[in-house]
Amino acid sequence: MEKLLDQAWAQQFIDWWLITQENLQEVPWWQFNEWLSRFVFYYPLLMAYVWMLGGMIYYVRWERNRGNVLSDLPELSEYPSVSILIPCYNEGENVRETIEYLLHQQYPHVEIIAINDGSKDNTLDILHELADQHPQIRVVNLASNQGKAVGLRTAALLANSEILIGIDGDALLAPNATAWIVRHFLEDPHVGAVTGNPRIRNRSTLLGKIQVGEFSAIVGMIKRAQRSYGHVFTISGVIAGFRKTALHDVGYWSPDMVTEDIDISWKLQLAGWAIRFEPNALCWVLMPETLNGLWKQRSRWAQGGVEVLLRYFRPLFRWRSRGMWPLYLECCISLTWAFLVVAMLAQVPFEWFSSEPQEALEDLSPHWTSMLLCVTCLIQFAVSLTIDSSYERKSGGSAQHYYWMIWYPIIYWLINVGTTINGCIMALRKKRGQRAVWVTLDRGLRQK
């Protein structure tokens, strides 16, 4: 009897399986896969033109008649005092040069607050030496590694000024940058932060040269476009100005967020404060020039972005936050795009094995879609570098790095897709409230 029942159940399962297969064959899965393929291809193509349009709007409205960006100063109605904050962790090799540049700011009322955040090298000794030589320098010493957010918060609370500027311990700030940043706070009382224009110092390797073009063609273009469309995804953590009242309003920087710059950008804008982009506020920074260092840096950026998307999901439901909805949606679509790219790349080997050799070779050959994407990339690089060329004159001009950008879609797209997924996983696994502290990163190879 049991054997007959088992046979009956087995027959029912076989019948159900056959019916299911017949139904699945009627579903046009090939069409669904085709739509996904089109999305993976057309999404970066569409966004390239969105960024180009926004960048050109910004250039025409606010940037076209700026003059010599390396020497000109804006006309200010007043010159309020400014406090420049420099959080440092193991910056013994860089901080002396950083502060020497700050001492040449073309601005009358500047105090410099250097924060030693539990450094294990001679950073604290150098800071004390410089403070003894220059009365405008103040040193804050944190006994243990508390993280950049805590260092900035501590210095902000101790600062005597309403306007604060934060830079990294390895950054070189242009002499006229402070004046250009202050201009925005004087012109509009609703401005809570101003993001500067970081440039790459180290250009000795292929990765370094590509990053020079990336910060001009991608980062600079996107910041201009986002400013034109209303909201900025993030300030530049290496160079940004803040209104102290705005920081106090949102509770300053969050100590448990991996990227404090992305976090404070969203906190300010969700609270109703505006963020401006100032391309004349130049700041030269060191960037990774090894694949391992680049992977760690971009993974941290991606993790910080996902952390922000998760934390501020509920506040976005407020009507006053509606201006941030397109930015949030674009970030979510970009995450989805990265996962789809990996999924489609993963199935390529299986398609090769299941197809004829001639068909597999045809898949590897260039198509009009590939040519369209490459041409669009070159147009974007050309437009952005044309806009950005005046800011690169001190380094010899941007045109010399245009050639290296042909490697960007091959190298950086693959790296960014991988780091986006890795960062997303890290953000999901991270415990809420876990302190984000300093780590020693790859600073590249500097040309002496």
Side-chain angles (χ1 to χ4, degrees):
M1 187 66 178
E2 293 180 358
K3 186 175 182 180
L4 292 175
L5 288 174
D6 290 340
Q7 291 177 350
W9 280 108
Q11 185 61 44
Q12 290 180 4
F13 176 78
I14 293 173
D15 293 340
W16 171 82
W17 176 258
L18 292 174
I19 294 173
T20 302
Q21 291 299 309
E22 291 177 359
N23 293 333
L24 288 175
Q25 290 177 1
E26 297 177 1
V27 177
W29 290 106
W30 62 269
Q31 188 174 4
F32 179 72
N33 187 59
E34 179 67 19
W35 279 104
L36 287 181
S37 300
R38 291 181 181 180
F39 168 74
V40 168
F41 170 76
Y42 285 112
Y43 175 69
L45 193 68
L46 171 65
M47 293 311 299
Y49 287 102
V50 170
W51 301 139
M52 278 191 284
L53 176 61
M56 289 187 289
I57 292 174
Y58 181 92
Y59 177 77
V60 172
R61 290 188 62 183
W62 295 298
E63 197 174 0
R64 182 170 48 180
N65 300 315
R66 285 293 186 92
N68 188 344
V69 299
L70 295 176
S71 61
D72 288 353
L73 289 169
E75 295 182 4
L76 303 180
S77 59
E78 57 180 307
Y79 290 85
S81 64
V82 174
S83 298
I84 301 180
L85 318 180
I86 318 170
C88 304
Y89 178 72
N90 294 343
E91 295 288 358
E93 296 183 359
N94 306 302
V95 71
R96 186 185 298 275
E97 187 178 14
T98 295
I99 292 180
E100 287 177 352
Y101 264 72
L102 293 180
L103 293 173
H104 292 88
Q105 284 296 298
Q106 298 173 358
Y107 194 85
H109 311 294
V110 173
E111 73 166 347
I112 301 171
I113 303 179
I115 311 98
N116 176 58
D117 194 4
S119 298
K120 299 178 181 178
D121 61 359
N122 62 338
T123 298
L124 182 60
D125 296 333
I126 295 175
L127 293 178
H128 281 312
E129 177 187 339
L130 293 171
D132 292 337
Q133 299 173 2
H134 305 282
Q136 64 268 49
I137 299 176
R138 299 164 60 190
V139 178
V140 177
N141 182 39
L142 301 179
S144 60
N145 183 351
Q146 299 293 316
K148 185 177 180 180
V150 174
L152 286 171
R153 180 190 179 103
T154 303
L157 292 172
L158 295 174
N160 297 319
S161 308
E162 169 66 8
I163 298 177
L164 313 175
I165 295 179
I167 69 171
D168 281 356
D170 64 335
L172 306 180
L173 191 63
N176 60 354
T178 298
W180 282 107
I181 290 176
V182 170
R183 181 179 70 95
H184 292 275
F185 294 112
L186 297 179
E187 291 179 350
D188 189 347
H190 298 98
V191 171
V194 178
T195 180
N197 191 1
R199 323 304 297 177
I200 307 302
R201 292 173 59 185
N202 43 334
R203 309 167 182 216
S204 55
T205 66
L206 175 61
L207 288 179
K209 293 174 181 178
I210 294 178
Q211 287 180 97
V212 175
E214 179 195 26
F215 269 67
S216 299
I218 307 299
V219 178
M221 179 70 77
I222 289 177
K223 276 188 167 51
R224 287 176 174 86
Q226 290 177 344
R227 167 68 183 95
S228 299
Y229 299 142
H231 292 83
V232 177
F233 176 73
T234 181
I235 60 170
S236 296
V238 296
I239 168 61
F242 301 95
R243 191 186 299 274
K244 192 173 181 178
T245 301
L247 291 174
H248 186 75
D249 181 46
V250 300
Y252 296 90
W253 295 268
S254 302
D256 61 337
M257 301 294 279
V258 169
T259 50
E260 82 296 329
D261 47 359
I262 303 178
D263 174 68
I264 196 65
S265 302
W266 282 70
K267 289 173 74 173
L268 288 170
Q269 292 177 112
L270 288 172
W273 294 96
I275 293 180
R276 298 287 183 259
F277 172 58
E278 180 47 68
N280 283 342
L282 299 178
C283 184
W284 289 269
V285 297
L286 296 173
M287 296 293 285
E289 289 191 289
T290 64
L291 287 175
N292 182 52
L294 187 66
W295 176 270
K296 290 180 179 179
Q297 182 198 60
R298 300 306 167 98
S299 293
R300 185 175 63 86
W301 289 359
Q303 179 183 349
V306 175
E307 287 180 3
V308 164
L309 296 181
L310 295 174
R311 174 161 297 186
Y312 300 113
F313 177 73
R314 288 186 178 180
L316 280 168
F317 281 102
R318 296 177 301 186
W319 179 248
R320 61 178 293 186
S321 304
R322 62 190 181 279
M324 298 290 288
W325 293 350
L327 193 60
Y328 192 94
L329 179 62
E330 191 273 328
C331 294
C332 293
I333 294 176
S334 296
L335 281 173
T336 304
W337 178 82
F339 279 93
L340 287 176
V341 168
V342 172
M344 297 192 71
L345 289 176
Q347 71 177 4
V348 168
F350 298 99
E351 293 181 353
W352 285 351
F353 286 117
S354 61
S355 61
E356 296 295 329
Q358 184 176 356
E359 295 179 359
L361 290 175
E362 289 179 356
D363 291 337
L364 291 175
S365 61
H367 298 280
W368 72 270
T369 53
S370 302
M371 294 300 298
L372 176 61
L373 187 60
C374 291
V375 170
T376 299
C377 287
L378 292 177
I379 293 175
Q380 181 181 0
F381 299 147
V383 171
S384 59
L385 292 179
T386 299
I387 295 174
D388 216 65
S389 60
S390 60
Y391 306 102
E392 279 292 315
R393 286 173 185 166
K394 190 172 183 179
S395 303
S398 296
Q400 61 178 313
H401 303 288
Y402 184 70
Y403 164 78
W404 302 104
M405 293 307 296
I406 63 175
W407 299 100
Y408 187 88
I410 301 173
I411 298 177
Y412 270 75
W413 274 14
L414 294 178
I415 292 177
N416 287 339
V417 165
T419 54
T420 297
I421 295 177
N422 185 46
C424 184
I425 295 173
M426 293 168 63
L428 294 174
R429 294 179 60 186
K430 181 187 172 186
K431 295 181 180 179
R432 185 177 178 87
Q434 180 181 344
R435 179 69 62 85
V437 296
W438 293 93
V439 293
T440 302
L441 299 175
D442 176 12
R443 295 292 176 76
L445 304 173
R446 286 175 292 173
Q447 292 178 327
K448 300 296 185 179

